[in-house]
Amino acid sequence: MDSTRFQRAAEILRAAQRIAVLTGAGISAESGVPTFRGEDGLWRQFRAEDLATPEAFARDPKTVWEWYDWRRGIIGKVNPNPGHMVLAQWEKKLSGFKLITQNVDGLHARAGSTKILELHGNIWKTRCTKEETVAENLEVPLKQIPPACPACGALLRPHIVWFGESLDPDILRRAIGASSLCDVMLVVGTSAFVQPAASLPLRASAAGAKIIEINPDPTPLTHYADVSLHGKAGEILPRIDQILSLPS
Ligand code: OAD
């Protein structure tokens, strides 16, 4: 790819006081986590309405949990890739750095990112359907499906935002704040179909931020991007990092 695009991306990042990053399933693809809408995407093999809605869970919690248990099995075996690693480094080295993710796989945290706005929840957390208590659960496979709350015995659900549900208002407020205030938003590996996440870069752009997109394929956001880098996040992010050559 044209190296001037990489130079341009690095220049924009270097000049920025506040950087926001929005990631999607594509950043974890090179780790071996299936995306949702790609060729082998989960929503090509499974019906979201049977597995990722509150109605599906109310109807058949066992089937829903079996699917999440299977996904936890895949995610539990993989590792963060160089794309996650670069973003974790940038949190330490770049000023005003905010990471917003749609991913529930926890790979950003495993790479070392510490301040992550998880818009859609986390597959390693459960929530009590009665008391709403959120707890970490790293069991693979789960000993009991569906799992029960250790405190009150009620059914536990995955701590994930399903279709038809609202995002955590505090997390959404902070994500909107970061998007509205940044000088540059880096959008990595999202098809930009799911709202409200997909509108965050538009908000950033409307407020005057530059948009850099990293994705092998064009998306509805490509048109708004100041720099489009077509390719894999695990290759492109390290290349930008190399150009930036930030002090360690
Ligand atoms: P999608 O599966 O919709 O999109 C993944 C994007 O990643 C596509 O645009 C791919 O072109 C791109 N991609 C693939 N490999 C890549 C790579 N190596 N580097 C960079 N990009 C790559 O996933 P999301 O946009 O994240 O919701 O989907 C949004 C939400 O829809 C998810 O959070 C999920 C789903 O329903 C929940 O889990 C609640």
Side-chain angles (χ1 to χ4, degrees):
M1 199 198 308
D2 180 6
S3 70
T4 54
R5 288 199 194 192
F6 285 91
Q7 296 290 349
R8 179 81 186 113
E11 254 168 46
I12 290 172
L13 288 166
R14 208 177 274 131
Q17 299 293 314
R18 292 187 174 126
I19 298 170
V21 181
L22 173 68
T23 64
I27 195 164
S28 296
E30 288 154 85
S31 292
V33 181
T35 64
F36 293 92
R37 295 171 185 80
E39 232 171 73
D40 302 318
L42 295 172
W43 297 148
R44 302 234 179 173
Q45 309 166 53
F46 301 100
R47 283 160 45 94
E49 49 278 47
D50 293 340
L51 298 163
T53 63
E55 294 78 17
F57 188 68
R59 238 183 355 250
D60 189 353
K62 184 162 174 282
T63 298
V64 170
W65 263 117
E66 279 167 354
W67 189 65
Y68 279 97
D69 193 41
W70 169 73
R71 284 181 58 200
R72 285 159 58 107
I74 296 173
I75 297 166
K77 284 197 195 78
V78 307
N79 291 308
N81 66 57
H84 297 107
M85 296 300 190
V86 165
L87 295 181
Q89 286 301 311
W90 287 359
E91 177 189 293
K92 296 190 188 83
K93 296 179 182 175
L94 295 173
S95 67
F97 186 88
K98 306 273 185 205
L99 177 58
I100 307 165
T101 189
Q102 296 167 86
N103 298 347
V104 299
D105 56 31
L107 289 178
H108 282 305
R110 281 182 51 203
S113 290
T114 60
K115 287 173 260 159
I116 311 159
L117 294 171
E118 290 182 320
L119 293 176
H120 294 162
N122 188 304
I123 203 164
W124 301 109
K125 289 181 181 167
T126 59
R127 189 162 84 239
C128 176
T129 54
K130 194 168 159 211
E131 298 163 329
E132 303 278 306
T133 328
V134 175
E136 189 178 66
N137 177 322
L138 303 176
E139 236 174 70
V140 179
L142 286 162
K143 286 193 198 82
Q144 184 193 332
I145 293 183
C149 175
C152 75
L155 183 63
L156 291 175
R157 60 164 281 175
H159 185 50
I160 295 225
V161 180
W162 284 325
F163 288 103
E165 295 186 316
S166 304
L167 274 60
D168 177 313
D170 183 51
I171 293 177
L172 180 59
R173 185 183 51 76
R174 285 154 65 198
I176 290 174
S179 308
S180 311
L181 291 175
C182 65
D183 311 311
V184 51
M185 183 167 234
L186 184 60
V187 187
V188 187
T190 178
S191 59
F193 279 120
V194 172
Q195 295 296 353
S199 65
L200 294 173
L202 300 181
R203 227 175 240 275
S205 176
K210 296 260 190 307
I211 307 294
I212 302 172
E213 185 180 54
I214 300 177
N215 199 308
D217 297 324
T219 76
L221 291 177
T222 307
H223 171 72
Y224 298 89
D226 296 274
V227 184
S228 289
L229 297 164
H230 296 293
K232 295 180 174 180
E235 294 167 8
I236 290 180
L237 284 166
R239 197 161 153 197
I240 299 174
D241 186 53
Q242 213 174 13
I243 299 172
L244 283 174
S245 57
L246 301 165
S248 46

